């Protein structure tokens, strides 16, 4: 038997003293002000209708409130030593832990199971709690049951669509055949492929066989069995660097509850993983430090402060509005989050009536609801009302109220208030959308019923399910006659063609507006135009096929008639010898007849769409055509062009008389010019020949006038002088025979000279040919007439090169001009020497007749008779220039200059 230990044993003494120290600390703690706050927070925690838990720094359950125990059906003993993975599964809890490590908080929905295996959809909010030194000391969790909430299928679809478009995660929908059914834009960018390349492809073809077999397929198989699977691993991509992805595989169930596909959401956790490793290292260091601290007897005080911080964080910063209100409606407390949600600070609300945060029309219902809650303190009460912020804006709230006992035993209402404004707005929007959908449906029904076009709907088997009144009118069958049957209007013998078009239509290969021939009930064939369309559900299955049909029989007949008229018009304008064409504002031919095509050496078809510049190189003509066209467009008025040239494809110049008229469109704007031109080349040549004949006649008459004048002024005067001399000689015959003899001799000499003059005129008018040297001989003969009756010396110089380019008419004119000039030199100038010279000069011909006679002053002497005027007119008719240079006592020089290419008569 072992000896008993006395109270003096050092070990027992140390234990006893430690116990006394703990008792003293507990007494001090119970008397501290913080203890009262802690008790209030603890009452809130225990009596809250929200399920709440505290987790220690290892993530294990430290404490749960009754609401949490009732929700998940676990006792405190069941939870001891476990993490929330017990209810939600390790992958889901691991994902929450990673977000807590990255952000210090988590807010989201998960699926958890109760102790009895019942599945719950939970809205979870978790917050990391730091101690006074900033180290993570634990976690607060708030759980709300969302199992009873449902949204409509359309809302879910729109929500999923929006989420898939904007979230940075890689989202894909995969069928049980491991083929992609849908992916979001981030998934396409990560793999660097277009959507049509991925949709329908096997997952192994996109991610690779190894990745599919080792990482993806096992998780998909579990998901297809109905499991919610979470996994993380490294993945490689085509367009971005390898990433460490947290992947969640969620089963998508059909209306019968079977899994139809898997939603795969992959989030880039590369940075989070690195941060997680750093957090683990920091946690290990923190655990070591905390382990050291737990050795101290100050653990109790630290635990007290931690509890106080937990409850304060839970109460002040949880994303719900918490109020405690007494029976009079006065606010006893409000958390910081709740007060600021309403635009107040907590001290502005504490002590005032809670009804001040309700609009006037809601204060009565709110007061009545609060009164009912105090009358039934053992029940949990719910209501939905509107509240008003300090700035006057309103919000919808859903409040859960439970009456509890305060520290002094008085009843206090604990109000948990949640902002459901967005939900209410969404509900209102949904109701408006449903109303709009009903209105749109009614409008579409009215449109289909009253449409002048036939609208026919078919099911996937090709049976009629809709046949509007216009279809009855066009085809003759009533809706009752065709419902549930195949289309009745396919003519006999065209069934195979119709079946082939049906298959092409299902494949989307039939173009809108296709024209067909179909049969009415009375057997008459009609032409129709068909616009087909196919309606599919979200899975791509055909739900209905419908077509809009227009009867175009009259239009087709009108088109055929129009084609005949156009062909007839085409023949008419092509048979016309006139040029008929039309151009647009850019000068392109829109119409041309055969005459225009022949002129340009091409075909009518080749002209359309081209311009004049494509067929002509005459820039002057092209510029003229373009200027006239633009004038018609700019003025909008018709113009008449009397003459304009056109060089055809053979180089021949044609002369046209043209009318250009603007053609206007439906808006009254001139967008084309119509051109009708008549070829007047032959008529113009006839007119020019007529004008030349008239000119020749005029010249002949002028020449006749000149000859008569010359005869009058020269020969007749000479004859008159001879007559006077003979008359004088006759009177002197008896009285002075000698003198009379001299007068007879003088008169005979003068008569001989007159005869020579007449001979010279006759010689100048009868030269049949003046080619080569004969022109020089003719010129000498004309001048020689005067040499026989006077003492004048003549010098004649003629260059053969000057004679060669002259025409017969020009040579005759030059002979007459030379004769007239020489006659003037002898008769008026009394010249003793006359020089006649014909030579080339500056590319033309120059005739000079110079003398050493008496000369005259051109400025004071006016020409008499027709001499100089006729000489000037002759030179002008040849296109030449006539000059007279003379000075008194210095002689006279007459010059006739003919330029190269002058007028030839």
């Amino acid at each position: 038997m072992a000896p008993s230990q006395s109270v003096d044993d050092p070990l027992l003494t140390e234990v006893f003293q430690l116990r006394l120290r703990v008792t003293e600390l507990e007494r001090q703690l119970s008397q501290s002000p913080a203890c009262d706050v802690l008790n209030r927070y603890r009452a809130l925690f225990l009596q809250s209708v929200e399920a709440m838990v505290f987790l220690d720094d290892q993530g294990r359950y430290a404490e749960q409130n009754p609401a949490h125990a009732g929700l998940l059906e676990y006792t405190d003993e069941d939870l001891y030593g476990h993490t929330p993975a017990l209810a939600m599964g390790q992958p889901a809890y691991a994902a929450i832990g990673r977000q807590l490590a990255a952000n210090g908080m988590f807010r989201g929905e998960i699926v958890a199971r109760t102790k009895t295996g019942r599945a719950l959809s939970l809205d979870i909010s978790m917050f990391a709690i730091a101690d006074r030194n900033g180290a993570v000391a634990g976690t607060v969790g708030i759980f709300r049951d969302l199992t009873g909430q449902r949204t409509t299928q359309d809302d879910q679809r729109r929500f999923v669509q929006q989420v898939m478009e904007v979230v940075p995660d890689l989202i894909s929908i995969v069928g049980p055949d491991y083929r992609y059914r849908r992916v979001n834009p981030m998934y396409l960018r990560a793999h660097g492929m277009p959507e049509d390349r991925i949709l329908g492809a096997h997952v192994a073809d996109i991610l690779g066989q190894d990745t599919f077999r080792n990482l993806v397929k096992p998780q998909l198989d579990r998901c297809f069995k109905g499991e919610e699977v979470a996994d993380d691993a490294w993945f490689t991509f085509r367009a971005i660097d390898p990433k460490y992805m947290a992947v969640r595989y969620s089963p998508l169930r059909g209306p019968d509850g079977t899994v139809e596909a898997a939603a795969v959401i992959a989030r880039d956790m590369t940075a989070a993983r690195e941060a997680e490793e750093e957090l683990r290292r920091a946690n290990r260091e923190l655990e070591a430090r905390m382990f050291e601290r737990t050795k101290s007897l100050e653990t109790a005080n630290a635990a007290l402060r931690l509890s106080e911080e937990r409850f304060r964080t839970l109460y002040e910063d949880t994303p719900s509005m918490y109020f405690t209100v007494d029976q009079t409606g006065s606010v006893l407390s409000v958390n910081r989050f709740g007060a600021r949600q309403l635009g107040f600070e907590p001290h502005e609300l504490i002590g005032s009536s809670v009804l001040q945060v309700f609009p006037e029309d809601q204060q009565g219902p709110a007061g009545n609801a609060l009164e009912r809650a105090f009358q039934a303190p053992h029940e949990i009460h719910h209501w939905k009302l509107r509240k008003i912020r300090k700035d006057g804006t309103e919000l919808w709230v859903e409040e859960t109220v439970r009456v509890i006992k305060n520290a002094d035993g008085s009843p206090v209402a604990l109000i948990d208030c949640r902002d459901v404004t967005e939900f209410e707005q969404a509900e209102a929007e949904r109701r408006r959308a449903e109303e709009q959908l009903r209105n749109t449906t009614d409008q579409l029904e009215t449109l289909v019923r009253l449409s002048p076009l036939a609208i026919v709907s078919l099911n996937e088997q090709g049976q009629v399910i809709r046949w509007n009144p216009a279809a009855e009118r066009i085809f003759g069958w009533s809706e009752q006659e065709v419902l549930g049957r195949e289309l009745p209007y396919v003519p006999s013998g065209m069934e195979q063609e119709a079946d082939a078009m049906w298959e092409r239509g299902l494949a989307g290969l039939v173009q809108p507006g296709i024209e067909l021939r179909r049969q009415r009930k009375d057997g008459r064939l009609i032409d129709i135009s068909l616009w087909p369309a196919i309606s599919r559900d979200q899975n791509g299955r055909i739900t209905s096929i419908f077509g809009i049909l227009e009867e175009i029989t009259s239009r087709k007949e009108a088109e055929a008639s129009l084609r005949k008229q156009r062909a007839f018009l085409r023949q008419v304008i092509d048979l016309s010898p006139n040029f008929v064409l039309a151009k647009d504002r850019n000068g392109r031919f829109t119409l041309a007849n055969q005459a225009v095509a022949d002129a340009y050496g091409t075909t009518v078809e080749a002209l359309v769409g081209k311009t004049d510049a494509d067929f002509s190189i005459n820039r002057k003509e092209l510029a003229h055509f373009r200027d006239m066209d633009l004038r018609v467009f700019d003025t909008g008025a018709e113009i008449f062009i009397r003459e304009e040239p056109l060089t055809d494809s053979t180089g021949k110049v044609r002369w046209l008389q043209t009318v250009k008229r603007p053609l206007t469109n439906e808006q009254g704007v001139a967008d084309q010019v119509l051109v009708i031109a008549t070829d007047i080349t032959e008529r113009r040549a006839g007119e020019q020949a007529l004008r030349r004949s008239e000119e020749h006649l005029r010249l002949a008459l002028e020449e006749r006038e000149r000859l008569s004048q010359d005869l009058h002024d020269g020969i007749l005067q000479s004859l008159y002088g001879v007559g006077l001399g003979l008359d004088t000689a006759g009177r002197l015959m008896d009285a002075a025979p000698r003198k009379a003899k001299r007068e007879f001799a003088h008169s005979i000499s003068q008569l001989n000279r007159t005869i020579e003059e007449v001979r010279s005129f006759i010689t100048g008018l009868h030269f049949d040919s003046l080619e080569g040297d004969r022109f020089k001989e003719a010129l000498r003969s004309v001048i020689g007439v005067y040499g026989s009756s006077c003492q004048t010396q003549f010098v004649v110089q003629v260059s053969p090169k000057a004679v060669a380019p002259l025409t017969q008419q020009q040579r005759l004119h030059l002979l007459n001009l030379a004769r007239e000039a020489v006659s003037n030199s002898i008769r008026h100038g009394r010249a003793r020497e006359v020089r006649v010279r014909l030579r080339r000069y500056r590319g033309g011909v120059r005739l000079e007749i110079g003398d050493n006679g008496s000369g005259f002053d051109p400025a004071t002497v006016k020409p008499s008779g027709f001499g100089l005027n006729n000489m000037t007119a002759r030179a002008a008719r040849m296109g030449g220039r006539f000059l007279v240079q003379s000075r008194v006592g210095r002689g006279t020089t007459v010059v006739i200059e003919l330029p190269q290419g002058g007028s030839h008569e």
Side-chain angles (χ1 to χ4, degrees), residues 609-620:
K610 302 295 182 61
T611 67
D612 291 296
D614 294 317
F615 303 96
S616 174
I617 60 174
N618 191 317
R619 295 185 178 179
K620 185 176 181 180

Side-chain angles (χ1 to χ4, degrees), residues 298-311:
E298 296 296 326
T299 302
N301 192 32
L304 177 61
R305 288 195 300 270
L306 179 60
S307 296
E308 183 180 351
E309 292 295 334
R310 285 175 177 172
F311 283 111

Side-chain angles (χ1 to χ4, degrees), residues 167-371:
V167 297
D169 299 333
L170 277 60
I171 302 176
S172 59
I173 307 298
V174 180
D177 56 353
Y178 308 110
R179 294 187 179 276
Y180 290 98
R181 294 185 180 177
R182 194 171 184 183
V183 295
N184 72 335
M186 288 299 296
Y187 200 97
L188 298 177
R189 286 195 286 271
H191 289 284
M193 295 182 182
E195 188 177 46
D196 58 356
R197 175 77 180 279
I198 293 181
L199 294 185
H202 199 280
V203 175
D205 296 334
I206 303 302
L207 300 181
Q209 289 289 346
D210 292 340
T211 301
F212 172 70
R213 182 173 55 254
N214 299 328
L215 298 179
V216 179
K217 185 177 183 301
Q219 315 303 340
L220 285 174
D221 291 340
R222 292 172 57 194
C223 184
F224 291 143
K225 294 178 182 179
E227 292 185 47
E228 188 85 16
V229 183
D231 191 21
D232 47 26
W234 285 95
F235 287 84
T236 57
F237 302 89
R238 297 173 186 262
I240 59 176
D241 296 333
K243 299 293 183 181
Y244 188 81
M245 309 296 291
V247 187
R248 188 177 188 85
Y249 302 82
S250 300
L252 299 179
R253 301 179 183 275
D256 58 355
T258 60
V259 177
E260 293 183 346
V264 184
I265 303 176
R267 176 167 295 180
D268 183 4
M269 300 299 293
T270 308
R273 179 178 173 82
E274 295 172 353
E276 184 179 355
E277 293 296 332
E278 180 64 22
L279 181 61
R280 289 197 186 98
R281 183 188 61 78
N283 283 339
R284 287 193 295 270
E285 294 178 359
L286 180 62
E287 287 173 1
R289 291 197 300 269
M290 290 298 294
F291 179 77
E292 293 296 329
R293 295 186 62 187
T294 55
K295 296 180 180 180
S296 172
L297 290 177
E298 296 296 326
T299 302
N301 192 32
L304 177 61
R305 288 195 300 270
L306 179 60
S307 296
E308 183 180 351
E309 292 295 334
R310 285 175 177 172
F311 283 111
R312 182 179 293 112
T313 301
L314 172 65
Y315 184 72
E316 296 290 351
D317 298 327
T318 186
S320 290
M321 294 177 275
Y322 287 128
F323 290 81
T324 55
V325 180
D326 62 15
Q327 283 185 292
T328 66
S330 295
V331 178
L332 300 178
S333 67
V334 59
N335 67 336
R336 184 166 50 242
F337 178 86
R340 291 178 178 175
Q341 277 290 95
L342 298 174
F344 296 92
E345 289 298 326
H347 69 272
E348 296 180 270
L349 295 176
I350 294 175
S352 60
S353 173
V354 73
L355 298 180
Q356 71 168 323
V357 296
F358 290 93
E360 291 184 2
D361 63 329
Q362 297 285 287
Q363 290 179 1
N368 295 335
L370 190 61
E371 183 178 351

Side-chain angles (χ1 to χ4, degrees), residues 565-595:
Q565 293 176 6
R566 286 179 176 173
F568 175 74
L569 179 61
R570 179 82 256 174
Q571 292 178 3
V572 170
I573 67 173
D574 282 341
L575 291 174
S576 172
N578 296 328
F579 291 6
V580 180
L581 59 104
K583 302 178 187 176
D584 63 15
R585 186 173 285 273
N586 295 318
R588 292 188 294 264
F589 289 99
T590 59
L591 172 71
N593 70 341
Q594 191 61 45

Side-chain angles (χ1 to χ4, degrees), residues 81-135:
H82 291 282
T83 67
L86 178 66
M88 66 180 67
Q90 183 58 36
Y93 180 62
I96 293 174
R98 285 192 293 271
Q99 190 164 343
L100 281 170
N103 304 321
M105 64 179 295
F106 170 81
R107 177 69 183 272
E109 296 183 13
I110 67 163
V111 176
R113 293 192 177 276
T114 64
K115 184 176 180 180
T116 61
R118 183 164 50 91
L120 297 177
S121 178
L122 301 179
D123 177 23
I124 297 181
S125 298
M126 285 192 170
F127 308 90
I129 299 175
D131 60 17
R132 294 185 182 276
N133 296 320

